[in-house]
Amino acid sequence: MNTQILEQMESEVRTYSRSFPTVFTKAQNAYLFTEDGKRYIDFLAGAGVLNYGHNHPVLKKALIDYISSDGIIHGLDMWTAAKRDFLEALDEVILKPRGLDYKVHFPGPTGTNAIEAAIRLARKISGRHNIVSFTNGFHGVTMGALATTGNAKFRDAAGLPAQGAQFVPFDGYMGEGIDTVAYLDKLLKDSSSGLDRPAAVLVETVQGEGGINPASIEWLQRLDALCREHKILLIIDDIQAGCGRTGKFFSFEHANIVPDMVCNSKSLSASGVPFAMVLMRPELDQWKPSQYNGTFRGHALAFVTGAAALRHFWSDDKFERDILRKGRIVEERFQKIAAKARENGFEAHEKGRGLMRGIDVRSGELADAITSRCFEQGLIIETSGHSGQVVKCLCPLTIRDEDLLEALDIIEENAAAVLK
Ligand SMILES: *Cc1c(COP(=O)(O)O)cnc(C)c1O
């Protein structure tokens, strides 16, 4: 396979092509195919962009029909029929049935754009600058979002101090039995704690890049109550955990809370086209016309496939139930793999929610050894966490059971070979 120009010209900053150094040409649901015809099962799925798999027939047809009809591809943020249809689908299929009345801001098309827009709005509304975020949180790498991202790998490359956020331990960070919401409560109540009164609290319900760390339902509910009590906006970063990944469309539905703002991106277009939105309680929409702009705000192709996916997958609870069923299959198998590793003297445990799952093997080298071997056997799978110590499952939610089981067999075999 010819990789010469790729190796020569592309910046050293590249990431995933290092783990999977081959050239991909085609993809279908949970399969990726290389130029020389090798088939891989995709357990990475664009880091959570492809929740509905690659080239889903319903979405592909919607896209082809739209392009064939000379539909508007780009219209800045002008009104288009595609935008109207997306908002109708969002309201009818997702928001209304959940009793939500959010307004929608389409910022630039990436996750970090949504975070920037949300925290800027929170600052504008409150007149305060500080954002509380959490250890191991990942919210993107543009300057504002970076300040709320924990990992020093990204922060150290900023070139400027990453300012505007203060970190509090996430659920479980201090070990079992230490209540980090109580800690935040104490900091907020004590004018001498050193915590600048925040504009907002920004949190992932299940930390993705930080190592597949699910906050407990109770912790999320108490964090929500704390924000209400202290009149601080609660922003949920649902960029990776949203769009069904945890078994509900919004990950915070498990906790029955209604955040003040929600950031979505990754799987929102459903087809891999970049797309992001910020949902906000209506009274928070204090933007002045064109006060926050961008050339690519809401992409028509993303509206088309995004709307088609909402209607196809979320009109009843069939898809939800199927995600939870598959999630349990992965959970059980990962628990078994971790238990076997512990028998062999390794500290390993399973964690996650829905189909966002991982096996923490406490060592980036071990996790890497497992995923590299999996790649050789036809499985694309990545690690996450501060040192890459978690082998993670982010397979398409639409994966066929046969493929899911084949992939789990590959992981089990290679985990057993490494953790022996
Ligand atoms: C991926 C991700 C982001 C950043 O999205 P980009 O599109 O890479 O800017 C932010 N938050 C979470 C939780 C993510 O997983």
Side-chain angles (χ1 to χ4, degrees):
M1 235 175 295
N2 180 358
T3 57
Q4 201 190 342
I5 196 160
L6 294 162
E7 289 180 56
Q8 256 174 26
M9 279 187 76
E10 192 182 2
S11 161
E12 292 305 317
V13 78
R14 68 197 173 86
T15 306
Y16 293 107
S17 57
R18 297 179 190 279
S19 308
F20 315 112
T22 182
V23 180
F24 296 99
T25 49
K26 289 188 182 199
Q28 184 30 242
N29 197 10
Y31 294 149
L32 275 167
F33 297 95
T34 63
E35 201 166 30
D36 56 1
K38 187 159 181 199
R39 187 205 81 175
Y40 289 88
I41 297 175
D42 189 359
F43 251 44
L44 177 58
V49 170
L50 297 154
N51 281 6
Y52 310 99
H54 295 268
N55 293 309
H56 189 282
V58 169
L59 309 178
K60 189 164 77 176
K61 180 167 186 311
L63 202 55
I64 291 169
D65 288 351
Y66 185 75
I67 294 172
S68 303
S69 71
D70 283 338
I72 300 278
I73 304 288
H74 178 83
L76 294 166
D77 75 340
M78 287 188 270
W79 284 343
T80 59
K83 181 189 283 186
R84 183 177 59 204
D85 189 54
F86 176 80
L87 288 171
E88 277 170 6
L90 181 69
D91 198 36
E92 282 162 23
V93 180
I94 302 296
L95 299 183
K96 276 213 188 97
R98 291 163 177 77
L100 301 169
D101 64 348
Y102 289 130
K103 285 191 82 175
V104 187
H105 176 186
F106 298 113
T110 67
T112 201
N113 291 144
I115 298 293
E116 294 286 345
I119 62 182
R120 191 166 304 179
L121 181 60
R123 285 173 175 146
K124 180 177 149 65
I125 292 169
S126 65
R128 301 190 286 262
H129 69 275
N130 195 26
I131 306 290
V132 163
S133 61
F134 293 89
T135 50
N136 282 311
F138 180 86
H139 302 289
V141 298
T142 55
M143 220 48 213
L146 180 68
T148 65
T149 289
N151 199 322
K153 173 175 81 176
F154 303 114
R155 298 174 66 86
D156 289 351
L160 283 173
Q163 286 174 340
Q166 280 179 292
F167 289 83
V168 170
F170 189 69
D171 190 21
Y173 185 77
M174 306 296 293
E176 250 173 70
I178 297 190
D179 181 351
T180 64
V181 172
Y183 173 70
L184 176 57
D185 187 33
K186 175 100 200 220
L187 293 179
L188 287 168
K189 283 181 175 145
D190 178 359
S191 63
S192 191
S193 68
L195 183 78
D196 294 326
R197 190 169 161 70
V201 167
L202 172 63
V203 68
E204 297 160 86
T205 68
V206 183
Q207 295 184 323
E209 299 308 297
I212 316 290
N213 309 316
S216 75
I217 300 304
E218 202 228 326
W219 188 87
L220 290 168
Q221 289 170 339
R222 292 189 32 254
L223 182 66
D224 175 64
L226 185 74
C227 289
R228 311 257 158 258
E229 183 193 335
H230 289 274
K231 299 198 168 29
I232 294 163
L233 297 173
L234 177 64
I235 307 173
I236 298 283
D237 178 347
D238 231 9
I239 291 166
Q240 190 165 144
C243 297
R245 177 55 59 186
T246 68
K248 299 275 183 194
F249 184 80
F250 295 115
S251 70
F252 55 82
E253 287 177 60
H254 295 283
N256 249 320
I257 58 173
V258 178
D260 297 298
M261 293 189 221
V262 183
C263 297
N264 274 107
S265 180
K266 290 214 162 87
S267 273
L268 187 61
S269 77
S271 58
V273 173
F275 186 36
M277 70 179 180
V278 180
L279 302 175
M280 65 199 116
R281 286 196 291 109
E283 63 274 26
L284 298 179
D285 185 20
Q286 295 179 23
W287 288 115
K288 299 263 185 304
S290 68
Q291 198 172 30
Y292 193 87
N293 75 0
T295 306
F296 295 101
R297 278 177 289 163
H299 195 291
L301 298 182
F303 286 139
V304 170
T305 49
L310 294 181
R311 294 202 168 99
H312 183 74
F313 290 101
W314 296 100
S315 290
D316 56 35
D317 68 354
K318 240 172 73 192
F319 188 51
E320 266 182 38
R321 282 188 281 121
D322 197 50
I323 301 164
L324 292 172
R325 180 184 66 81
K326 286 174 186 160
R328 280 191 295 271
I329 295 175
V330 177
E331 180 182 15
E332 275 170 30
R333 191 68 85 84
F334 277 13
Q335 280 172 351
K336 188 174 148 201
I337 294 168
K340 191 151 173 222
R342 285 196 301 273
E343 277 170 30
N344 293 341
F346 293 90
E347 258 187 81
H349 68 277
E350 182 278 339
K351 51 187 179 171
R353 183 166 290 142
L355 266 177
M356 188 167 183
R357 299 215 163 257
I359 310 170
D360 189 335
V361 297
R362 301 291 172 94
S363 148
E365 269 117 76
L366 292 175
D368 224 32
I370 296 168
T371 54
S372 309
R373 292 176 65 117
C374 288
F375 178 61
E376 279 167 32
Q377 291 183 23
L379 177 65
I380 306 276
I381 182 165
E382 257 295 357
T383 60
S384 83
H386 53 77
S387 51
Q389 76 281 19
V390 179
V391 176
K392 74 176 174 186
C393 163
L394 280 182
C395 63
L397 310 176
T398 52
I399 191 170
R400 299 182 322 152
D401 281 14
E402 302 91 290
D403 298 325
L404 183 64
L405 297 176
E406 183 183 331
L408 291 171
D409 286 344
I410 295 174
I411 299 169
E412 184 169 338
E413 182 189 325
N414 290 298
V418 171
L419 306 171
K420 64 167 194 272

